[in-house]
Amino acid sequence: MHRLFVALRPPPPIRELLVDRMDGIEDARWQDDDQLHLTLRFIGDVDSRMAEDVAVALSTIRADLPPLRIDGCGMFDSKGRPNAVWAGVAPREPLAALHRKIDRAMVRIGLEPEHRAYLPHITLARLARSAGPVDAFLARHAALTSPAFSVTHMTLYESRLGTGGASYEPITRYPLTGP
């Protein structure tokens, strides 16, 4: 089985800016540089045949993204308990449109549609129950921003879960060109 997702990888200066902000939450599991990405579509566990179908379907996607920028931060929670902090990415609508294109392509090859609302973000930390409060971090980085940056391709990744967290192996890159 292959655990797959499609993502954009910010350029090194943007990743460095994010890594430099990763502190201030006790017991947070901060992402490292290799883990920083903006997920466009989580695919999940698929067999080798479906993984090949995914790769072919992604090759048909065309999109032009405007320059992107980091835009604030926030958190996800589960039953009122924070479980991740993230940096937002703007402009949101072109990223959401690309997410919808990818989702439609995945549905055409037989995968379930994405049911969660799409929010363009880069996860900064995962939070276990023992993690400290996040309010001060969110307040300190509420106006987090970055210079504009371009992304010229999306990548199909395979996620491997290990004792130290997930590692992500790029499988195939797809250029983002054309309408």
Side-chain angles (χ1 to χ4, degrees), residues 82-106:
N83 60 19
V85 292
W86 48 262
V89 181
R92 287 178 175 83
E93 181 47 39
L95 292 164
L98 179 55
H99 164 78
R100 289 189 298 270
K101 283 183 180 184
I102 295 168
D103 192 51
R104 285 192 299 270
M106 296 302 101

Side-chain angles (χ1 to χ4, degrees), residues 6 40 43 50-63 98 101-106 108-109 152-156 171-179:
V6 184
L40 293 168
I43 296 165
M50 181 58 79
E52 290 174 17
D53 291 347
V54 166
V56 170
L58 290 172
S59 72
T60 68
I61 305 286
R62 298 291 174 262
L98 179 55
K101 283 183 180 184
I102 295 168
D103 192 51
R104 285 192 299 270
M106 296 302 101
R108 280 194 297 275
I109 63 170
T152 60
H153 63 275
M154 62 183 180
T155 303
L156 176 63
I171 304 300
T172 309
R173 288 171 47 159
Y174 302 91
L176 292 173
T177 58

